[in-house]
Amino acid sequence: MAELLVRNARIVYPATRGFVVDRGWLLAQDGVISGLAAGDVPVDVARLVAGRQEIDAAGMTLLPGLLNTHMHLYSMYSRGIGTGRVSHSFLDVLQDLWWRLDRSLLKDACWMSATFSGMDSLRSGTTTIVDHHASPSYIAGSLSTLSDALSKIGLRHVLSYEITDRNGIQGAVAGVDENTRFFDEVREKKGLASGMVGLHASFTVSDVTLTTLRERVGSRKVGYHVHVAEGAVDEEDSVEKYGKRIVTRLDDAGLLGPRSIAVHCVGIDASERELLAKSGTPVVVNTMSNMNNAVGLPAVREMLKAGIQVGIGTDGYTANMFEEFRNTLVGLRHRYEDPAGFWAEVQQAQIETNADIVSRCTGCTVGRLEEGAAADFILVDYASPTPLNSENAFGHMFFGMSADLVDTVVVNGNVAVKGHHVLGVNREDLERESRKVAKAVWEAFDRLS
Ligand SMILES: [Zn+2]
């Protein structure tokens, strides 16, 4: 049995009804938390077990690992790229940048993107990402390539391929097949990987593709991961082509439900909120990305009032969930002109709803500090200059802690990051290799219209 014992940690679960233990211990066995309590390690737990790893936290703060419920690893090669164009709308941004970049990615670029974005995620304290992948020039096998890279660095992941008609019907069908292939490949395995079915967005997925998708998914119990009403173009297209709003279209196609994720939902109306709530479909908001694309921010207050679960993701804009949940709070306060709003809501979204979403996607309890939950946690080198207790723990996390204070990251009971470094990789070699790949990606990008 693989064991990891952490002693002398300040254990903080910053949930609405969370707890703080000033000095305590945590034992992980075979990837699962099997005990945690205040004080010294009891004698029966302390007895040395052969092969057990031990960490003296020396007063560092132990938190559940952060979860990113909407990510695009493949965005990594956009760093420093020049599009040579001026984008005037959300559709321009897609056409000028993202739909040229994803077509430029081959196997090695996918692997490197997952490795580097995955390392950034881990080092900033994220232990699970729910990723939405696109590489139209390399579809079959792409999710396994990402999964291999992420498993190597030790990051838990839920992967899907974004089905779209924008590269022809063959591309759409290949996307469907890659989702079901990967879902079947990992569903019986006990590793770090889980699968969903991804769709780009309503406005790039035809009814023919939706029918093919239903047929090929068959009786599998999958969740769907789809962008919804991120820009106005999506809702306009649905009403014009299908005579119904997007969420109604997704509902008619059988894509809603508690295992699914509706991303963004900036432009949805009250009838769509009602459908999302009725079906138990969570919404994941991505504030920094929405602001960057100037598409507006979603009506989160109305969503919550309608009974929708709202989680937080980064949309690939950053790997840093500390940055993202901070910007979610200030963005929503700004949107609603309410300087006192959304504190409890952002806490709930970041700590509890993201945990609910990932737990449903993976089929195991993730994002919680309790016996039986996945042993995914972080040690933060945080000095607390003011009292820290169960009532104000999220305040310390929000205003005091940050990604650069993350010292150690444990996923599935294994140490993935120690002293800020991702273990088991040679970063210099990877960097050198990745820059060669970047050259090929950028040259391909420049050739595309
Ligand atoms: Zn996205």
Side-chain angles (χ1 to χ4, degrees):
M1 183 185 289
E3 291 199 350
L4 173 69
L5 177 67
V6 181
R7 58 175 88 224
N8 294 324
R10 179 204 280 140
I11 303 177
V12 175
Y13 181 46
T16 335
R17 275 183 290 275
F19 59 83
V20 170
V21 170
D22 286 333
R23 193 176 71 85
W25 58 272
L26 181 150
L27 178 67
Q29 292 178 308
D30 284 341
V32 171
I33 298 173
S34 59
L36 74 163
D40 291 324
V41 182
V43 178
D44 59 323
V45 175
R47 74 192 153 74
L48 206 60
V49 173
R52 175 193 276 177
Q53 252 192 302
E54 293 205 7
I55 296 175
D56 183 347
M60 283 197 286
T61 301
L62 188 156
L63 296 168
L66 304 182
L67 312 171
N68 184 351
T69 48
H70 181 64
M71 176 62 171
H72 297 288
L73 294 162
Y74 78 84
S75 66
M76 196 271 285
Y77 280 114
S78 68
R79 291 184 204 176
I81 207 168
T83 66
R85 300 177 189 176
V86 179
S87 306
H88 297 286
S89 67
F90 171 62
L91 190 58
D92 281 356
V93 171
L94 293 176
Q95 288 170 341
D96 295 346
L97 175 58
W98 300 115
W99 293 354
R100 286 166 73 197
L101 180 70
D102 64 10
R103 283 186 288 157
S104 307
L105 303 173
L106 297 175
K107 185 175 181 178
D108 49 1
C110 291
W111 194 90
M112 283 293 181
S113 298
T115 299
F116 277 91
S117 294
M119 290 198 299
D120 286 346
S121 299
L122 280 170
R123 286 193 297 114
S124 54
T126 295
T127 51
T128 302
I129 55 161
V130 182
D131 193 70
H132 203 241
H133 177 65
S135 52
S137 306
Y138 167 61
I139 299 175
S142 59
L143 296 182
S144 298
T145 296
L146 301 187
S147 184
D148 287 348
L150 296 170
S151 298
K152 189 166 188 292
I153 58 172
L155 178 62
R156 193 181 295 282
H157 50 281
V158 181
L159 305 183
S160 60
Y161 186 89
E162 58 176 62
I163 298 163
T164 178
D165 279 33
R166 68 188 159 83
N167 303 295
I169 189 68
Q170 273 184 322
V173 173
V176 171
D177 289 345
E178 179 57 8
N179 280 297
T180 51
R181 185 200 66 75
F182 183 73
F183 183 85
D184 291 343
E185 179 180 294
V186 298
R187 76 170 148 183
E188 298 301 333
K189 289 186 185 164
K190 278 194 163 180
L192 299 175
S194 303
M196 294 181 84
V197 170
L199 296 98
H200 169 249
S202 172
F203 75 106
T204 72
V205 177
S206 66
D207 274 353
V208 174
T209 299
L210 286 181
T211 304
T212 308
L213 175 61
R214 258 199 313 267
E215 284 167 8
R216 301 215 176 177
V217 164
S219 59
R220 294 178 184 87
K221 296 207 179 327
V222 301
Y224 296 90
H225 186 175
V226 53
H227 294 120
V228 176
E230 181 176 4
V233 60
D234 199 9
E235 200 71 84
E236 287 162 8
D237 178 271
S238 183
V239 172
E240 194 185 311
K241 279 195 198 139
Y242 311 104
K244 49 183 139 179
R245 294 185 71 87
I246 299 166
V247 179
T248 305
R249 186 170 178 237
L250 298 178
D251 189 36
D252 291 349
L255 306 188
L256 301 183
R259 281 199 184 89
S260 294
I261 297 174
V263 183
H264 298 301
C265 294
V266 175
I268 63 169
D269 72 3
S271 69
E272 293 175 290
R273 287 195 288 272
E274 206 176 300
L275 271 179
L276 289 167
K278 206 170 121 194
S279 60
T281 312
V283 169
V284 170
V285 299
N286 306 262
T287 306
M288 286 200 287
S289 166
N290 289 164
M291 293 198 289
N292 182 54
N293 288 329
V295 293
L297 290 178
V300 169
R301 181 164 281 164
E302 288 76 4
M303 288 181 193
L304 292 168
K305 211 168 162 190
I308 299 169
Q309 274 201 309
V310 177
I312 299 175
T314 66
D315 202 21
Y317 183 79
T318 175
N320 184 336
M321 287 304 295
F322 281 98
E323 268 191 313
E324 189 65 45
F325 69 71
R326 277 190 193 120
N327 278 288
T328 304
L329 181 83
V330 295
L332 290 173
R333 284 186 172 179
H334 184 73
R335 182 195 191 280
Y336 285 91
E337 298 180 20
D338 179 0
F342 294 100
W343 181 258
E345 290 83 352
V346 168
Q347 179 180 12
Q348 168 101 25
Q350 178 56 43
I351 306 300
E352 285 148 289
T353 304
N354 271 6
D356 286 347
I357 292 170
V358 171
S359 298
R360 289 195 293 261
C361 292
T362 58
C364 56
T365 305
V366 179
R368 297 208 162 75
L369 286 185
E370 62 189 33
E371 284 183 29
D376 295 5
F377 56 86
I378 61 179
L379 291 174
V380 182
D381 189 11
Y382 175 60
S384 171
T386 57
L388 195 170
N389 53 51
S390 58
E391 274 75 49
N392 70 9
F394 190 67
H396 283 268
M397 189 178 174
F398 196 91
F399 289 108
M401 298 179 200
S402 57
D404 56 324
L405 297 179
V406 174
D407 178 273
T408 301
V409 178
V410 173
V411 182
N412 209 34
N414 297 311
V415 180
V417 173
K418 198 165 174 52
H420 309 287
H421 294 292
V422 178
L423 302 180
V425 297
N426 183 323
R427 209 170 74 173
E428 280 176 20
D429 285 353
L430 279 171
E431 250 183 275
R432 204 175 308 115
E433 204 50 45
S434 178
R435 285 182 187 187
K436 282 188 217 156
V437 176
K439 192 167 174 287
V441 171
W442 287 11
E443 282 170 4
F445 180 90
D446 285 340
R447 285 195 296 272
L448 292 170
S449 56

